Amino acid sequence: MELDEKKSHAKVIASGIIPFAFIILMMAYIFGPGSDLLDLGIPLPEITIEKVDFVDSEIQATVRNTGPIPVEVAMADVNDRIQPAAVEPDRFLERYEVVLVRIPFEWNEAEPYIIGITVEDGTRFEKKIDAAAPALEPTVELAVFFAIIGTYVGIIPVMIGLLWLPFIKKIKKSKYHFFLALTAGLLLFLGIDSIEEAIQVSDESLADSFNGTLLVATITVLSFLGLYYTGEKLVKRSETSRLTKPVAIALMIAIGIGLHNFGEGLAIGAAVGLGSIAFSTFLIVGFALHNTTEGIAIASPMSREKTVIWKLAAMGMIAGSPAIFGAWVGGFVYSPFSSVIFLSIGAGAIFQVIITILKWIRVEGDKNLSSAAVASGFAIGMLIMYATSILV
């Protein structure tokens, strides 16, 4: 009997492996004896100038080979004028390899420049810089500056939003459902905003070979699934631990908002590095108004929990402080690829939190999620975020 079961088990395993074996054989043939099938047409070179830094009397371009064939950097130009250039580590790039092209040039701050790179077959690629700005160098003063800006646009607004807690605690259940739905509406807007920003960054700075839109979709879905699994475990754990369900939900909301604010910090740091943003009082106020609503999202589930100040402070820090770390990363070691990844992760986290909130509303008594309080809260949440986003 046991022998029959082992044979049956082996057949199941074999039936699962055989299709993979045929796939491997097919790929081995295509890239081996059948490689002539892939030689139709002429492969064209393609490089992407991912980043341009202005350092002292030099322009530094980070160049990646994003085409199907190896390339050699032949020369560089600035505003269509050929300039001497050094390529580190060398001029030859395999697919996806990165080099640094250093161009000695007396550039002027705030002036526009077009940086061109030509490969060995004469094909030229360029990147336009609207206004030259000195590359940021990590210093204590600059790190403190980013920390202050991150505090203004991340931590302080969230903490202000948490001040809604006493009001939400005293309202009736129907109005409480309104605020939970309002929270979901706020977060839905943030999720869509994160996806829009990620796609915009991919369109502007990533080569087509990275399939930016599909990359955003893939990372968003994987982030959603991973955090959904984690969130469910956290909520279930709250039933047998000192961590209550409202606190577990508020914690997931804070984590989702924190991931979003990390992406927002990346954008802020990168914008400062490119010299394309002026931090006027109006801009800071716009960010503050926009992000204050994030505090309401955390306060809503926490209103059904015995309030402890340190819990609120911890939630606020989890949600707001990533803006500081994002600003540091964006300002000092910005990468468009990592920016797309983190923005997409933030979007997936936020969508997971929305599902958690809707399930919490059902547990609280609104089984069909179609009451006037829920529908109006969802709509008003999105309208509030849109109205405050205009100020940013």
Side-chain angles (χ1 to χ4, degrees), residues 146-167:
F146 279 132
I148 292 172
I149 294 301
T151 301
Y152 267 108
V153 303
I155 297 175
I156 292 177
V158 172
M159 293 298 187
I160 291 173
L162 290 174
L163 296 177
W164 283 82
L165 184 63
F167 169 77

Side-chain angles (χ1 to χ4, degrees), residues 94-373:
E94 297 295 331
R95 192 177 191 194
Y96 293 125
E97 188 178 353
V98 178
V99 296
L100 181 66
V101 180
R102 304 179 62 176
I103 309 170
F105 191 84
E106 294 295 334
W107 54 272
N108 296 315
E109 191 169 345
E111 286 190 6
Y113 290 96
I114 299 176
I115 311 303
I117 303 293
T118 303
V119 296
E120 78 282 358
D121 70 346
T123 307
R124 180 179 177 275
F125 303 87
E126 68 177 31
K127 186 176 183 69
K128 183 179 180 181
I129 308 299
D130 294 328
L136 299 181
E137 297 182 3
T139 63
V140 174
E141 291 78 13
L142 193 55
V144 171
F145 169 76
F146 279 132
I148 292 172
I149 294 301
T151 301
Y152 267 108
V153 303
I155 297 175
I156 292 177
V158 172
M159 293 298 187
I160 291 173
L162 290 174
L163 296 177
W164 283 82
L165 184 63
F167 169 77
I168 299 175
K169 266 183 171 293
K170 296 177 181 179
I171 60 178
K172 297 179 180 178
K173 177 172 282 191
S174 62
K175 292 185 176 64
Y176 175 62
H177 288 174
F178 168 83
F179 273 95
L180 284 176
L182 179 77
T183 294
L186 300 174
L187 293 173
L188 180 60
F189 186 96
L190 286 179
I192 295 172
D193 182 57
S194 292
I195 289 179
E196 182 187 24
E197 288 182 30
I199 292 175
Q200 183 178 353
V201 171
S202 69
D203 288 343
E204 292 178 353
S205 303
L206 290 185
D208 293 340
S209 59
F210 282 107
N211 294 320
T213 302
L214 293 178
L215 175 65
V216 171
T218 301
I219 299 301
T220 299
V221 171
L222 292 178
S223 171
F224 171 83
L225 293 175
L227 289 167
Y228 184 81
Y229 174 80
T230 304
E232 288 295 299
K233 289 289 185 181
L234 189 62
V235 171
K236 286 182 180 179
R237 185 181 176 187
S238 68
E239 299 172 358
T240 58
S241 68
R242 297 175 61 185
L243 183 69
T244 63
K245 194 169 185 177
V247 173
I249 293 173
L251 178 59
M252 293 307 300
I253 292 174
I255 291 172
I257 291 174
L259 289 170
H260 170 80
N261 282 339
F262 184 87
E264 192 173 79
L266 279 174
I268 292 171
V272 173
L274 295 173
S276 61
I277 190 167
F279 281 100
S280 64
T281 302
F282 179 78
L283 181 63
I284 294 174
V285 170
F287 270 117
L289 286 174
H290 185 64
N291 291 348
T292 296
T293 53
E294 296 172 355
I296 302 175
I298 299 170
S300 294
M302 285 292 288
S303 65
R304 289 301 183 265
E305 167 70 8
K306 185 178 179 180
T307 306
V308 179
I309 297 300
W310 71 264
K311 287 183 182 179
L312 285 177
M315 298 291 182
M317 292 299 294
I318 290 171
S321 60
I324 297 175
F325 297 101
W328 285 338
V329 174
F332 298 138
V333 289
Y334 176 75
S335 162
F337 188 81
S338 63
S339 182
V340 170
I341 295 295
F342 280 111
L343 286 167
S344 302
I345 290 174
I350 287 171
F351 292 140
Q352 179 273 329
V353 171
I354 293 171
I355 298 298
T356 302
I357 292 172
L358 294 178
K359 290 173 67 175
W360 178 242
I361 294 174
R362 295 190 67 180
V363 169
E364 284 284 300
D366 200 331
K367 298 296 184 183
N368 55 12
L369 301 176
S370 61
S371 66

Side-chain angles (χ1 to χ4, degrees), residues 47-58:
I47 62 172
T48 301
I49 305 173
E50 293 187 341
K51 187 179 179 183
V52 175
D53 291 320
F54 295 86
V55 182
D56 297 330
S57 298
E58 188 176 84

